[in-house]
């Protein structure tokens, strides 16, 4: 049964069907098999992130097909178009990693461009790998036509000798092999067993973190973020998402009605509760900006202080996303937070109902394995794990992930590296001593450019058994799989002449997660003297997409967003 005709569809229908000058437009649609009555239907764009580049996206086509069929059955016209992806895991530690965050902007641009250029009435965005999610949501916010996000789903964890594995396992195994604690044969076994199925990385890493945030934000269906890609429920969820989108089109329920300051606060609360990725800070800042919502680093700190970590999930915990799903998934977490007054249940969702109304259909208590989701009064950590640090090394802020740490304060001599490769060489070569603090710089949004993730160095540190005794600070960022005494997003970045550019080997650096301090033992006069001797480096790229990104991006403390 066709749904009612929303205003935008009616305007387009009149322009195309009745206007003699629109005959050429109609001819293009007739070539696609459209009939005259189809022009009165909502045109629904389906942004398809399917590719065989990465297992994260290799299973998306079946979800796109399910969504397209549901759109057609519900009285709409599905128009599928492609968006690209860059695999963070595959590009990690290479020059290709510089394109990862840039791909977030490319994806957003693709969605905004097609939505506007094709006069779409609604959007279903289907994505898997890390930047598909924030890129898709930024594009949705810019287009501001009714939209829903369909996450591609998690991979199932690997298993080796009874131990659960994920994408982080081989990175840590590289460090362990270099330290001589495992053999090359064992490294090869880990490498081959880590990711047994298609789907996104299996821990509470960046993709699963953002998918959980989208549930809390109201832009994805509840319960959908922890489903595996290989399960039938994921295809069913994609179809249901598309059907609900047609209702949202009829009601003209636009993204900026749903993405508000209150819903972003809900998303931040769930990121804290599940122990999610530091990348969520960068991406939620960018999504807020694209949505016209005021949201700053101070807001993350405000939410952190009141929301505890209640999920025991990797990388710093014991369980995978599939375990969280079996325990009831993100809806159980949200209900725990709602019952304690830690989220706003009145926020709208894509269903047209409030978050609280939607959560009424889900359990308030964990199912089965109760050690995955803890009760609030038995939280793993009494406050959130993503701390915003300030100090003379980060005047505009930096982000630390403190879950899994026994040592929350570190003071030691700097080991300074101007690129990731030289840092990796030092770590694997055994020249990093316990008590040192590594400074990896010129890796920010403009300096790298593209703010690459430092999973290889941080995992190598963990693999060598130095996770509790060696710190790392960077103006780059971290994978969702990173844990340890690490601080990223240091702002201003080195390329812009931030204090991190002035640090020298041997300078005494302090990281204090409890006092939220990142500082170097130099006076303002000493820093000023070093600054007088400092000159900005030339941009590493003079043309192409990386040069364009470097020229247009905001700082990390503003989301590293172009436009």
């Amino acid at each position: 049964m066709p749904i009612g005709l929303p205003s935008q569809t009616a305007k387009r229908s009149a322009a195309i069907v009745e206007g003699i000058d629109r005959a050429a437009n109609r001819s293009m649609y007739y070539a696609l098999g459209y009939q005259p009555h189809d022009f009165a239907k909502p045109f629904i764009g389906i942004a398809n992130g399917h590719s065989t580049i990465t297992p994260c996206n290799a299973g998306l086509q079946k979800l796109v097909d399910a969504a397209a069929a549901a759109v057609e059955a519900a009285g709409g016209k599905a128009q599928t178009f492609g968006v690209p992806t860059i695999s963070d895991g595959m590009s990690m530690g290479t020059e290709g990693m510089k394109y990862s965050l840039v791909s977030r902007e490319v994806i957003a641009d693709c969605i905004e461009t097609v939505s506007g250029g094709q006069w779409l009435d609604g959007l279903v965005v289907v994505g898997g790998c890390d930047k598909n999610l924030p890129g898709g949501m930024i594009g949705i916010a810019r287009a501001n036509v009714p939209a829903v996000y369909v996450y591609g789903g998690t991979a199932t964890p690997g298993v080796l000798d009874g131990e659960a594995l994920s994408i982080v396992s081989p990175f840590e195994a590289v460090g362990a092999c270099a330290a001589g604690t495992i053999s090359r044969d064992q490294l090869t076994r880990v490498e081959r067993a880590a990711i047994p199925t298609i789907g996104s990385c299996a821990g509470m890493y960046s993709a699963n973190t953002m998918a959980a945030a989208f549930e809390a934000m109201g832009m994805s269906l509840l319960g959908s973020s922890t489903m595996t890609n290989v399960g039938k429920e994921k295809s069913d969820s994609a179809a249901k998402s598309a059907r609900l989108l047609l209702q949202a089109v009829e009601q003209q329920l636009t993204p900026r009605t749903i993405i508000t300051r209150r819903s972003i606060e809900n998303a931040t609360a769930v990121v804290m509760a599940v122990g999610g990725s530091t990348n969520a800070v960068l991406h939620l800042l960018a999504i807020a900006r694209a949505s016209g919502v005021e949201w700053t680093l101070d807001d993350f700190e405000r939410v952190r202080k009141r929301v505890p970590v209640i999920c025991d999930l990797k990388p710093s915990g014991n369980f995978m996303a599939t375990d969280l799903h079996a325990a009831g998934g993100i809806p159980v977490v949200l209900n725990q937070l709602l019952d304690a007054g830690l989220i706003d249940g009145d926020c709208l969702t894509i269903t047209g109902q409030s978050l609280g109304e939607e959560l009424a259909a889900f359990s308030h208590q964990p199912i089965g394995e109760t050690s995955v989701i803890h009760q609030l009064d038995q939280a793993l950590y009494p406050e959130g794990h993503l701390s915003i640090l300030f100090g003379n090394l980060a005047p505009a802020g930096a982000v630390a992930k403190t879950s899994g740490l026994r040592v929350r304060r570190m003071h030691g001599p700097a080991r300074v590296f101007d690129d990731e490769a030289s840092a990796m060489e030092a770590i694997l070569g055994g020249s990093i001593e316990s008590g040192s603090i590594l400074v990896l710089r010129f890796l920010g949004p403009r300096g790298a450019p593209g703010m690459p993730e430092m999973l290889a160095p941080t995992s190598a540190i963990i693999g060598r058994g130095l996770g509790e005794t060696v710190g790392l600070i960077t103006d780059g960022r971290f994978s969702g799989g990173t844990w340890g005494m690490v601080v990223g997003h240091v702002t201003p970045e080195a390329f812009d002449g931030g204090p991190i550019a002035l640090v020298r080997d041997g300078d005494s650096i302090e990281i204090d997660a409890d006092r939220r301090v990142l500082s170097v033992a130099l006076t303002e006069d000493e820093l000023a003297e070093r600054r007088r001797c400092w000159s900005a480096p030339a941009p590493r790229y003079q043309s192409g997409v990386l040069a364009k990104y470097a020229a247009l991006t905001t700082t990390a403390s503003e989301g590293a967003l172009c436009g």
Side-chain angles (χ1 to χ4, degrees):
M1 180 73 67
I3 67 170
L5 203 62
S7 59
Q8 187 169 334
T9 310
K11 291 177 183 178
R12 185 197 57 248
S13 176
I16 292 178
V17 175
E18 297 175 13
I20 296 175
D21 59 329
R22 296 298 183 183
N25 301 73
R26 294 195 297 272
S27 294
M28 301 291 283
Y29 286 107
Y30 290 141
L32 292 169
Y34 281 56
Q35 299 300 314
H37 62 272
D38 289 329
F39 298 120
K41 299 176 180 178
F43 286 5
I44 306 299
I46 302 180
N48 184 2
H50 174 82
S51 76
T52 55
I53 287 174
T54 168
C56 304
N57 289 48
L60 299 187
Q61 189 60 52
K62 63 185 178 184
L63 308 185
V64 171
D65 292 343
V71 166
E72 297 283 342
K77 293 300 294 181
Q79 300 181 347
T80 304
F81 61 96
V83 295
T85 195
I86 297 295
S87 170
D88 288 36
M90 291 171 172
S91 64
M92 198 73 67
T94 74
E95 193 75 1
M97 186 71 225
K98 295 178 180 179
Y99 289 87
S100 168
L101 188 58
V102 175
S103 75
R104 184 189 73 176
E105 309 305 306
V106 175
I107 291 165
D109 288 350
C110 286
I111 291 169
E112 179 189 1
T113 299
V114 174
S115 177
Q118 295 300 123
W119 208 354
L120 298 177
D121 299 296
L123 286 165
V124 179
V125 180
V126 185
C129 200
D130 290 1
K131 304 310 170 294
N132 292 185
L133 287 97
M137 196 58 67
I138 291 166
I140 282 170
R142 289 177 182 168
N144 202 33
V145 297
V148 65
Y149 199 97
V150 175
Y151 177 43
T154 184
T156 58
V159 179
L160 182 63
D161 300 329
E163 179 184 354
L165 304 180
S166 71
I167 182 60
V168 177
S169 304
F171 282 95
E172 293 183 354
V174 168
C177 185
T181 56
I182 66 171
S183 67
R184 279 192 169 272
D185 178 66
Q186 181 68 2
L187 171 59
T188 300
R189 293 179 68 216
V190 171
E191 176 186 2
R192 292 180 176 176
I195 308 174
T197 71
I198 56 177
S200 296
C201 300
M204 189 47 68
Y205 309 142
S206 294
N208 284 332
T209 296
M210 293 311 299
F214 290 176
E215 279 194 46
M217 194 184 292
M219 290 299 297
S220 289
L221 298 193
L222 288 177
S224 64
S225 71
T226 50
M227 296 173 178
T228 64
N229 176 268
V230 295
K232 182 179 181 297
E233 64 178 348
K234 178 46 72 176
S235 295
D236 292 343
S237 177
K240 182 179 179 181
S241 298
R243 288 193 294 270
L244 286 168
L245 175 65
L246 268 293
Q247 295 179 20
V249 169
E250 187 170 19
Q251 298 164 6
Q252 281 300 286
L253 181 56
T254 58
R256 294 195 189 186
T257 307
I258 299 171
I259 306 173
T260 64
R261 182 173 171 83
R262 293 183 303 148
S263 70
I264 289 176
E265 184 154 336
N266 285 348
T268 303
V270 87
V271 168
M272 297 293 179
V274 300
S277 168
T278 54
N279 281 311
V281 175
L282 197 73
H283 297 327
L284 288 173
L285 285 167
I287 291 166
R289 179 169 175 152
S291 305
V293 173
E294 183 180 347
W295 192 257
T296 70
L297 289 178
D298 290 337
D299 291 307
F300 287 98
E301 186 58 27
R302 177 174 53 80
V303 176
R304 183 194 70 81
K305 288 180 179 178
R306 63 182 181 80
V307 178
V309 180
I310 61 173
C311 294
D312 187 13
L313 299 167
K314 287 185 179 293
S316 58
N318 295 300
F319 297 97
M320 299 289 195
T322 49
D323 300 310
L324 177 59
H325 190 64
I330 296 302
V332 172
V333 177
L334 287 169
N335 268 325
Q336 296 263 352
L337 298 177
L338 182 63
D339 291 344
L342 295 175
I343 60 171
D344 187 340
D346 292 333
C347 291
L348 269 177
T349 73
I350 187 61
T351 67
Q353 292 189 298
S354 71
L355 181 62
E357 289 170 330
E358 285 294 303
L359 284 170
F362 293 88
S363 174
H364 287 238
Q365 297 299 320
I367 301 164
E369 177 53 77
T370 56
S371 57
V372 180
I373 306 173
H374 290 226
Q375 300 293 326
L376 286 168
D377 60 359
Q378 298 176 336
L380 280 82
Y381 307 96
E383 295 180 337
H385 64 300
L386 298 180
S387 295
I388 308 302
L389 275 54
F390 293 93
N392 67 353
L393 266 180
V399 182
K401 185 176 183 180
T402 60
S403 52
L405 291 181
R406 291 189 294 270
V407 178
R408 296 175 61 85
R409 181 180 183 274
M410 190 173 291
H411 192 282
R415 286 289 307 275
V416 180
F417 302 93
D418 288 346
D419 59 76
E420 180 183 1
S422 58
M424 277 296 291
E425 183 179 351
I427 296 166
L428 296 178
S431 68
I432 301 300
E433 297 180 357
S434 180
S436 301
I437 296 179
L438 278 63
V439 179
L440 277 64
R441 63 191 183 188
F442 296 102
L443 296 166
R446 296 185 64 214
M451 207 179 178
E453 292 179 348
M454 297 294 107
L455 178 61
T458 57
S459 296
I461 290 169
I462 298 295
R464 291 194 69 90
L466 299 171
E468 296 286 353
T469 60
V470 168
L472 187 151
I473 71 171
T474 180
D475 50 7
R477 59 193 177 91
F478 298 116
S479 162
T482 291
W483 68 279
M485 181 55 88
V486 296
V487 183
H489 308 197
V490 174
T491 310
E493 62 176 286
F495 186 85
D496 290 336
I500 191 173
L502 310 177
V503 177
R504 297 172 183 169
D505 279 339
D507 286 345
S508 182
I509 290 178
E510 179 184 22
I511 306 171
D512 192 326
D514 293 323
R515 292 172 49 237
R516 300 194 298 114
V517 168
L518 178 63
S519 64
V520 59
L522 295 171
T523 66
E524 285 302 311
D525 287 344
E526 288 171 321
L527 286 170
E529 178 59 31
R530 290 189 184 184
R531 187 170 285 109
R532 279 192 288 271
C533 301
W534 182 83
S535 58
R540 289 179 172 170
Y541 293 85
Q542 301 297 327
S543 62
V545 69
L546 291 179
K548 186 187 303 182
Y549 179 84
L552 296 175
T553 184
T554 60
T555 67
S557 63
E558 298 171 314
L561 180 70
C562 295

